Amino acid sequence: MEYRELGRSGLRVSVLTMGTMTFGGGGKFAYVGDTGVEEARKQIDMCLDAGVNLIDTADVYSTGLSEEIVGKAIQGRRDDLLLATKVRMPMGDGPNDAGLSRHHVITGAEASLRRLGTDHIDLYQVHEWDGRTPVEETLAALDHLVSAGKVRYVGVSNYTGWQLMKALGTADRLGLPRFVSQQIYYSLQARDSEYELIPAAIDQGLGVLVWSPLAGGLLSGRYRRDAQPSEGRQLTEWNEPPVRDQEQLYDTVEVLVDIAGEHGVSAAQVALAWLLGRPAITSLVVGARTSEQLADNLAAAELKLTAEQRARLDEVSRQPLLYPYWHQAATASDRLSPADLSLLGPHL
């Protein structure tokens, strides 16, 4: 297992992170999975044996049940791993049961600590943007948790480029905790994050954790033009991630399957290996309904793709340059930074 620094921090995390959205099966999360304590313990054993050192969860996953299961499954080995969780989403019907106010952030952290059965969270992530709460208030609440020793590092998830830069600029201006990482959706199925979020990570020294790197199973090789699986998340009411271009998705899966055949591995492993070679990527959050799926995903850490195979995947999944990127590619190519080139380089 390879380990990479998480942004500009000194924390080293495995290139694969164990995702736990499948734990619990409460409410809408039943569409994703319903893993109980015993199976969770087995899967965590598999991850630790493979060298995974980070487990990612969130308070909203099955309304806290995922955190509870994680807490029970790691009893006696808390010091062997890092824990990441999140705050922002609704955890009740009250007017202050959601968002990134000082009240909800601190209340959420205390509740997560109880459910996880630990005295600290290694990476505490704001799960989504809150346009009604001043960024200063959210960062001050995170500063309180860090100063109290309840949180070691802070991260962000699902922000736009301008929202991310506003938060980082505010933290720098006021001397408040700076996000060390962002957790984003990024896959061969949708490379939208390459427009702003990946360049921002390169420029600002952020680690990048990727959620749903297999696009909710769409890149597993089971969804093809001439074949559809009989079960899976995409056949339920779960609608993440959306599919904008079905034909491009099918084209991408065909190339994945071809390259997988060249290596004698699964299409899923190829999709994960492609991501691990992209700029700024620190770790991929992989979850699975079954131990068999998890074992297959873990094997991706050892897969190396050739430059030619990467080029084929890049070409079939590439998205068009939006404005002002196409204009910059045409007129600013003489003065582009490494962050700029992460998007524009292949178009020059």
Side-chain angles (χ1 to χ4, degrees), residues 92-111:
D93 297 326
N96 293 304
D97 289 339
L100 294 176
S101 67
R102 182 179 181 89
H103 171 84
H104 188 66
V105 168
I106 294 176
T107 300
E110 298 284 1

Side-chain angles (χ1 to χ4, degrees), residues 130-193:
D130 176 355
R132 294 302 186 92
T133 300
V135 172
E136 294 86 348
E137 179 177 340
T138 300
L139 294 173
L142 294 172
D143 183 48
H144 168 81
L145 293 170
V146 172
S147 298
K150 297 177 180 179
V151 168
R152 300 279 171 86
Y153 298 91
V154 295
V156 65
S157 184
N158 301 315
Y159 274 32
T160 65
W162 75 263
Q163 292 162 354
L164 177 63
M165 293 304 296
K166 179 178 181 178
L168 293 174
T170 301
D172 290 344
R173 176 169 55 87
L174 299 179
L176 294 171
R178 200 175 197 271
F179 296 134
V180 299
S181 63
Q182 59 173 333
Q183 187 169 154
I184 62 176
Y185 173 56
Y186 184 21
S187 79
L188 278 164
Q189 183 262 341
R191 296 168 59 180
D192 313 67
S193 58

Side-chain angles (χ1 to χ4, degrees), residues 237-293:
E237 295 180 16
W238 189 269
N239 60 356
E240 290 185 2
V243 178
R244 308 298 188 194
D245 190 334
Q246 191 81 45
E247 291 306 305
Q248 185 179 42
L249 171 62
Y250 286 143
D251 290 342
T252 301
V253 172
E254 291 306 314
V255 176
L256 276 174
V257 171
D258 288 345
I259 294 174
E262 294 167 11
H263 285 274
V265 300
S266 68
Q269 288 185 40
V270 175
L272 296 174
W274 177 84
L275 264 179
L276 285 175
R278 300 299 296 168
I281 299 303
T282 307
S283 186
L284 311 181
V285 182
V286 295
R289 287 175 176 265
T290 67
S291 296
E292 291 74 20
Q293 290 176 344

Side-chain angles (χ1 to χ4, degrees), residues 326-343:
W326 56 260
H327 198 277
Q328 292 178 357
T331 63
S333 61
D334 59 327
R335 299 181 69 85
L336 295 177
S337 71
D340 299 318
L341 291 169
S342 68
L343 172 67

